[in-house]
Amino acid sequence: MSRLVVCTALRIETLAVRGRGRTTVRVGVGPRRAAAAVPRLPAFDALAVLGFAGGLTATGPRPGDLFVATEVRAGERRVPCPWAPDLLSLLTEAGLPAWGAPLVTHDRIVTGAERSRLAVDGALAVDMESAPLASGADGRPFVVLRAIVDTPDKPLASLGTPYRALLALHRLRRAVPLMSAWAARSTGHPRFPPAKEVRG
């Protein structure tokens, strides 16, 4: 059986995704904490980041939608996620359609016009932990599965956020059982080169 490690940032995410067949590690919020957690991760064959994210555009993923990163970006650095189609396929087969597109990792919560600035070259979601964890995978199967909580027209600082968070949590829980199948499918793929910097 493939050794799957699932990384989360928040306690509520950790409680939602832990279970048999995977080791769950709460890395903390933000890229600095995520980077510091990488050397302490248990041995793994496949690594996943699960939790919440924000949508970058009003026409992209909506609150409660699942999102799989096809690429993780941080500044000028871009890390491809070639195992994303495996997870997208499993989600679709289970009746859980999800968006697949690039994701941006930022060092703080993004609001207002800054979302539009990040939504370039197809990026549709933003989080705060995935980029350092993607680098820590070091070529082993890696995937990011997020549930969208907020969007430009439905910001975090609004009355509907608790409901949207519960909806996102429900969708994420429905997807969690597929992670072991994803790990088993993806570890049979050839090794992918580690992350590289791409300068625009």
Side-chain angles (χ1 to χ4, degrees):
M1 180 180 293
S2 301
R3 296 171 298 177
L4 170 63
V5 169
V6 173
C7 297
T8 60
L10 302 172
R11 176 176 169 78
I12 191 172
E13 297 168 340
T14 306
L15 294 174
V17 307
R18 66 184 180 183
R20 296 180 61 183
R22 56 191 173 273
T23 299
T24 304
V25 178
R26 184 180 172 191
V27 301
V29 176
R32 292 181 63 180
R33 288 187 176 94
V38 169
R40 302 193 298 271
L41 292 177
F44 63 88
D45 301 308
L47 186 66
V49 180
L50 270 66
F52 300 142
L56 288 175
T57 71
T59 57
R62 306 302 301 160
D65 286 352
L66 295 173
F67 180 88
V68 178
T70 58
E71 179 180 77
V72 176
R73 302 173 180 173
E76 296 180 337
R77 196 160 133 272
R78 300 187 176 196
V79 182
C81 300
W83 298 276
D86 290 331
L87 181 56
L88 285 165
S89 176
L90 287 167
L91 292 168
T92 301
E93 291 167 8
L96 291 167
W99 295 73
L103 171 142
V104 179
T105 293
H106 208 278
D107 60 359
R108 55 186 168 77
I109 294 175
V110 178
T111 60
E114 193 167 12
R115 294 199 186 211
S116 298
R117 183 181 64 81
L118 294 177
V120 296
D121 297 333
L124 291 181
V126 60
D127 76 358
M128 297 175 64
E129 296 82 28
S130 291
L133 294 167
S135 297
D138 192 29
R140 285 165 288 186
F142 172 81
V143 79
V144 177
L145 172 62
R146 296 286 194 176
I148 301 298
V149 173
D150 58 301
T151 57
D153 57 326
K154 296 187 181 298
L156 278 176
S158 61
L159 293 176
T161 295
Y163 168 77
R164 294 193 298 270
L166 287 174
L167 177 60
L169 193 64
H170 171 70
R171 296 274 174 80
L172 193 63
R173 281 176 172 159
R174 290 185 61 193
V176 167
L178 302 174
M179 297 310 300
S180 294
W182 167 78
R185 180 182 293 188
S186 297
T187 49
H189 285 199
R191 179 180 174 87
F192 194 82
K196 62 179 180 179
E197 289 196 2
V198 178
R199 299 184 180 278

